[in-house]
Amino acid sequence: MSATQEIEFRDAIRDAMSEEMRRDKRVMLIGEEVAEYNGAYKVSRGMLDEFGPRRIIDTPISESGFAGMAIGAAMLGLRPVVEFMSWSFSLVAADPILNNAPKMLFMSGGQFGCPIVFRGNDGAGGQLGSTHSWSVEGLFSNVPGIKIVIPSTPADAKGLMKTAIRDDDPVFFLESERLLGMKGEVPVGEDVLVKFGQACVRREGTDCTIASWGRPVHFCMEAAEALAKEGISCEVLDLRTIRPLDIGAIERSVRKTSNLVIVDQSWSFGSPGSEVAAQIHQRCFDDLDNHVHRVHAEDVPAPYAFNLEQEYLPNTRKICEAVRSATYNA
Amino acid sequence: MATPTTDGKSTHDVHGGLPIPRRAANRPVPGAELLRGWYRELVLIREFEIRCMQAYQDKKIGGFCHVYIGQEAVAVGCVAALKPQDPLVTAYRDHGHALARGMTARACMAEMFGRVDGCAKGKGGSMHMFDREHNLFGGHGIVGAQTPLGAGLAFATKYEDEVLNNGKSSRVTLCFLGDGALNQGAFHEALNLAGLMNLPVIFVVENNGYSMGTSIHRGTTQSHDLSSKALGYGIDSAVIDGMNLLEVYHGMKDVVEKCRRESRPAFVDMRCYRYKGHSMSDPRKYRTRDEEELWEQGDPIGIFEKFILDQGAITPDQIKALQKEVKAEVRDAVDFADNSPVPPMSDLYHDVYREPWGRYTGTSEPRMYGGALNPPTFRATREGDGLI
Ligand SMILES: Cc1ncc(C[n+]2csc(CCOP(=O)(O)OP(=O)(O)O)c2C)c(N)n1
Ligand SMILES: [Mg+2]
């Protein structure tokens, strides 16, 4: 076990980027307000001071332009980290990030890769209304060629970010603004990486598996705690990456518990949650005591009003209801 | 240099622009009643925004909240130069535009509070103010998103006149954007389309010198002469002093009339300054207190107040009474918003579709067609079917 240090989620991301920038001069950070303002959410705090304006680069509000520019630079061998102030704003850059980055290697017959990380705030929860509350994992997990990472703890954020930067493929790194202030023990040291495609068991249990990723993992933990008092023992799996997807870990857990609830903050239709459900129904048909249950954002645009938004999101109450239903305790 | 100026001469030169032509001096002064009405609107917007900031601190308002303090003369002057049926569309710093357009302080505040009596039933929030009655086609949260929409509104009014009504273009569209939006691709595509198709739309850049923490010089080429952006698309432009209501009014009157007459797009570099942070959580370290103070000396309300006093259009007592009245109106709006109910949960599934076949209940339950076997038939347009 390496030494750890208690830091905020945002600083864990920053430390990962800074360590990788010290290790590899080809790595640079570009985006709106990342340099002089230290990041709209203060994730890149101090990086301009350390690395200077040639490697920490402020841009105009031109997502399509700077995302595409970074992809071009990656084709030539740089390893850019691109910050979207919010993933909601990446939609104006849909063509470069979906049509260029993930297809470059394939279309060029393996000649040109795209070692790039796109990162930023993802998901609803801050009453930002319909345009600013996207959970883009629902959209982007549909696209082959992209790796999608959604950390739920500071330690994972750091380890996964380091892996993302060293990865030779385009990685979409989804942060929750709601978690950025969360503190946690984070390994100190250059080479503590978290591999992609490895789910983590956050809590062991025997009656029902709850699989999730990103911020909702915390709601799952609360739900598991509450359900334990009712005598329902839940196993909480944090998938950490959606592509690659550690379906094997879910399968093993479901063989033990015979029940699965998936908690996914994106919309249900054609989502990572529906993909996991389909794969588990196929792989574990005879092991399941009930069909797979899913908790998603409600199938409507994100509302502004506080009470509506709380109800819109997956929350602890809905997860408890789904688990009770799955385990015939409803 | 002691006197604040928007024409690029001050030591706190945030725009670095070419000098601004002065227009108001040679124009007839509007009637006293009109002037008093405008003054009231300026004061109303300012007071509204101050109370918004308080309500935000009190956690009555959530999400992002961008106040308009310092830019009031722009919305009031621009709207005054329009007709009520002219469509207007703007970005997320939209409370001022909504109030100037005629939305009540109550409806606007209740929206900010996320309550049912808000202009969008509490579903849109601060950044997304919509008001069909007053031809306000939104507040739009994504930078630049409203610029193609502005072109589209103008396309529809032109179509209305040329295809539906066989007449010539009679409505103009006003599309506001921030200086930061100049750097979005959507803006450039919109300008090209507007120029190409002769759309009667006016793009008003509320050039307050900053997009978040980025000064216009750090983010935008040709920042000293934004008209060069429009020139590339064959669009005429004007530079207007956005801190002076009369300048805004007369400058915009010219632009609006020409646009209406010729059915050609226009571009306005409206020089102004936002006094507060970008949103509620901005320590404003990217500019100096000196700079802010200099601009505060050129307060659009102060300038206009002095003007109407000098004109004898209002007395100091009338000003006091008016300020008191506005304060009461905004206090009432806050109370109203606070007492308005939160939206019922059933609202979550309303307004996702127009629901011609029944209640929408989400993808997981296929009740969208309300059990009806045959969707209703749609009728063809008839004589007299108009637009909004
Ligand atoms: C496409 C997109 N990128 C980024 C943002 C985040 N953002 C919101 S406002 C803003 C600054 C815009 O500045 P400006 O256009 O000058 O308008 P102002 O705030 O000065 O009124 C930014 C970067 C966004 N809303 N949309
Ligand atoms: Mg601006």
Side-chain angles (χ1 to χ4, degrees), chain B residues 179 208 210-211:
Chain B
D179 46 289
N208 58 16
Y210 295 90
S211 53

Side-chain angles (χ1 to χ4, degrees), chain A residues 61-63 298-299 304 307, chain B residues 112 183-184 214 343 349 360 363:
Chain A
I61 313 170
S62 308
E63 286 83 358
E298 297 296 318
D299 200 25
Y304 164 74
N307 66 324
Chain B
M112 315 269 303
N183 305 316
Q184 273 289 321
T214 304
Y349 278 83
Y360 172 66
T363 44

Side-chain angles (χ1 to χ4, degrees), chain A residues 67-116:
Chain A
M69 191 175 97
I71 292 167
M75 289 175 73
L76 209 87
L78 292 190
R79 306 183 78 85
V81 177
V82 180
E83 175 174 314
F84 290 124
M85 196 176 282
S86 158
W87 273 99
S88 292
F89 311 149
S90 77
L91 299 187
V92 303
D95 186 62
I97 68 171
L98 300 181
N99 241 348
N100 294 333
K103 296 167 182 166
M104 206 62 79
L105 188 67
F106 188 83
M107 287 197 304
S108 68
Q111 297 181 80
F112 295 110
C114 195
I116 193 166

Side-chain angles (χ1 to χ4, degrees), chain A residues 1-6 19 155 158-159 162 185-194:
Chain A
M1 253 336 258
S2 57
T4 64
Q5 169 192 15
E6 191 186 58
E19 285 172 20
K158 183 172 179 194
K162 289 173 74 85
E185 291 294 329
V186 174
V188 183
E190 277 265 302
D191 286 313
V192 188
L193 275 69
V194 175

Side-chain angles (χ1 to χ4, degrees), chain A residues 33 278 281 290 313:
Chain A
E33 310 288 351
H281 280 135
N290 202 337
L313 289 165

Side-chain angles (χ1 to χ4, degrees), chain B residues 19-37:
Chain B
I20 308 174
R22 299 283 145 191
R23 303 174 178 88
N26 310 323
R27 304 292 172 89
V29 177
E33 199 175 327
L34 203 55
L35 295 177
R36 282 196 297 271

